[in-house]
Amino acid sequence: MVTARTTRVTLGRRLAKYVIQSAYAARPGKPSLKWRALRNYARYVVDGRPRLRFCDLAVTYDCTMSCAHCSAGRLGDARRRPMSVDDYGRLGDELVEAGVLAVQLTGGEPLVRGDLEEIIRALGPSRLFVSVVTNSSLATRARLESLAAAGLDNVCVSLDAWQASEHDRVRGAAGNRDQALATLGTALELGLRGMVFHVVTHESLRSDALPRLVEHTERLGVLLVLGWAVPAGSWNGRLEVLLTDEDLAYLERIHEQHLHVRTDFETNYFHWGCGAVKEKLYVSCYGDVLPCAFVHIRLGNVFEEPIADIRRRALAIDWFSEYNGRCLAATDRTFIDAHLSRVFGASSEPISLEQAGLVPGSVRGRSRRR
């Protein structure tokens, strides 16, 4: 069953997060973005139904590294055609119509695509906050300048540890920790927003990595986004990496003390919980629509039907219609055992809703929780 959030979030923390997020998303040349955001909030207040807010867009599954914890490696399929620039342009129109305010270009390594600038322009950067998440291996100053000129707003670098030797070991690339820090610095010099993404596991949580990253990002004035370990991709079926309730309580204290540290739970309109399908979606480079980057269950495909119709159908599944107090992919063992575990032995990913045992109207009988 869907789990209600039990940890109380203070009013001060809620307000501070809204202020930080609003200031972070404020970018020159995008006056319509603010009004679209206000309209989304107003419509939610009136009818109680959230509009889409965010979408992860995979642009490739090719990569320059083989990270030990890559969540996307099993989604690549050389037999399928990746989306073209025109395809992303049409999708951008659909996303804006559905209410999306921000997109994040991901992979693989997005900078592998030589036409990434064209994709950004096709999406319509004047109407969207555009971010790219990169392993930094191809993020030269010239390329970042080119992406910024195309309309990029934010550069998110991945850091798996503070110690260079440990980060480079996980990435399988010597010198990559220093590359990531340099990329972050260059992005800030160019007037872009900067962000660090860090995956925490049960084993790594209490190492020196997290406090050092908290300190460093706070000093730079950038956001630190924490990703919770998920049993997907290279960690397919590895439940030992998942965070425990004690781990989550420890993280709550960090979030209360350091307001620039956040998770996806804190970016929703009003609720603090899993926003998958309700406010965010993931689209693979083949057009498959997933609840999020870590739930490899296909809701539909944008080549076959509009994304609004795909989302509407998925919202009839109670796991996705409500704001779950736990992350479906990382901490909700009921969902993992009943549905996500069916991905573990699959010959290819994503699997269908039917294969995952998810059908509209399943797990009925609960009220929506705020």
Side-chain angles (χ1 to χ4, degrees), residues 284-325:
S284 80
C285 68
Y286 312 119
D288 293 324
V289 180
L290 315 183
C292 80
F294 310 112
V295 178
H296 294 177
I297 299 171
R298 183 174 55 253
L299 307 176
N301 188 285
V302 298
F303 287 125
E304 299 169 1
E305 56 185 326
I307 200 164
D309 292 347
I310 295 171
R311 175 176 176 260
R312 188 178 303 113
R313 184 172 60 248
L315 283 173
I317 299 171
D318 286 357
W319 280 112
F320 303 137
S321 67
E322 300 189 31
Y323 290 82
N324 198 33

Side-chain angles (χ1 to χ4, degrees), residues 241-255:
V241 302
L242 302 185
L243 299 175
T244 65
D245 286 344
E246 183 181 353
D247 295 335
L248 294 173
Y250 172 75
L251 285 174
E252 279 295 312
R253 293 192 291 272
I254 291 177
H255 286 293

Side-chain angles (χ1 to χ4, degrees), residues 11-335:
L11 178 60
R13 179 177 165 192
R14 285 181 181 271
L15 293 176
K17 293 287 184 176
Y18 279 122
V19 170
I20 291 171
Q21 288 165 199
S22 298
Y24 195 83
R27 297 286 290 159
K30 303 194 179 190
S32 67
L33 191 57
K34 177 178 65 176
W35 300 113
R36 291 181 56 238
L38 291 173
R39 184 176 64 180
N40 282 0
Y41 275 99
R43 289 182 62 169
Y44 197 173
V45 170
V46 170
D47 63 22
R49 291 179 295 181
R51 306 197 80 210
L52 277 180
R53 170 185 51 79
F54 175 86
C55 190
D56 272 310
L57 297 178
V59 295
T60 183
Y61 291 116
D62 293 337
C63 193
T64 56
M65 296 183 183
S66 298
C67 300
H69 59 295
C70 177
S71 63
R74 290 170 59 89
L75 293 173
D77 187 341
R79 298 167 299 180
R80 303 182 68 184
R81 179 181 74 84
M83 294 174 66
S84 68
V85 171
D86 288 342
D87 294 328
Y88 284 105
R90 287 189 292 271
L91 179 58
D93 292 339
E94 289 188 33
L95 293 176
V96 170
E97 178 65 26
V100 169
L101 305 171
V103 294
Q104 178 161 268
L105 306 178
T106 183
E109 172 48 48
L111 272 63
V112 166
R113 285 196 66 150
D115 60 355
L116 190 60
E117 288 87 346
E118 295 177 51
I119 291 175
I120 292 173
R121 293 188 184 99
L123 287 167
S126 65
R127 57 190 182 174
L128 292 164
F129 184 90
V130 183
S131 176
V132 65
V133 58
T134 177
N135 63 28
S136 302
S137 61
L138 302 175
T140 63
R141 186 181 188 91
R143 189 70 195 278
L144 292 179
E145 288 176 342
S146 176
L147 292 168
L152 183 69
D153 295 296
N154 180 69
V155 175
C156 178
V157 302
S158 299
L159 281 169
D160 300 315
W162 180 255
Q163 295 296 331
S165 58
E166 177 60 14
H167 170 90
D168 295 351
R169 181 191 66 79
V170 172
R171 294 268 151 177
N176 184 247
R177 196 290 302 258
D178 293 341
Q179 279 183 317
L181 292 177
T183 295
L184 185 61
T186 301
L188 297 177
E189 289 174 9
L190 295 175
L192 295 167
R193 297 288 191 243
M195 183 184 292
V196 171
F197 182 76
H198 175 65
V199 176
V200 288
T201 72
H202 173 63
E203 182 180 10
S204 73
L205 181 60
R206 289 171 177 79
S207 70
D208 72 334
L210 184 53
R212 295 295 295 274
L213 285 170
V214 168
E215 178 186 358
H216 185 71
T217 51
E218 195 163 29
R219 185 167 60 250
L220 289 180
V222 302
L223 297 179
L224 174 60
V225 180
L226 300 183
W228 298 342
V230 294
S234 299
W235 279 346
N236 216 21
R238 288 190 54 187
L239 302 182
E240 73 274 11
V241 302
L242 302 185
L243 299 175
T244 65
D245 286 344
E246 183 181 353
D247 295 335
L248 294 173
Y250 172 75
L251 285 174
E252 279 295 312
R253 293 192 291 272
I254 291 177
H255 286 293
E256 287 285 351
Q257 295 166 8
H258 304 280
L259 294 173
H260 74 291
V261 183
R262 73 176 195 180
T263 67
D264 277 351
F265 276 33
E266 298 165 281
T267 58
N268 297 326
Y269 293 115
F270 298 111
H271 300 268
W272 283 50
C274 178
V277 181
K278 295 160 289 300
E279 299 190 24
K280 63 179 288 186
L281 287 170
Y282 172 98
V283 181
S284 80
C285 68
Y286 312 119
D288 293 324
V289 180
L290 315 183
C292 80
F294 310 112
V295 178
H296 294 177
I297 299 171
R298 183 174 55 253
L299 307 176
N301 188 285
V302 298
F303 287 125
E304 299 169 1
E305 56 185 326
I307 200 164
D309 292 347
I310 295 171
R311 175 176 176 260
R312 188 178 303 113
R313 184 172 60 248
L315 283 173
I317 299 171
D318 286 357
W319 280 112
F320 303 137
S321 67
E322 300 189 31
Y323 290 82
N324 198 33
R326 289 181 176 270
C327 173
L328 295 179
T331 61
D332 194 308
R333 289 301 297 268
T334 300
F335 183 83

Side-chain angles (χ1 to χ4, degrees), residues 334-353:
T334 300
F335 183 83
I336 292 170
D337 293 343
H339 305 292
L340 195 60
S341 63
R342 304 190 187 200
V343 178
F344 300 162
S347 57
S348 64
E349 297 179 20
I351 65 173
S352 68
L353 283 169

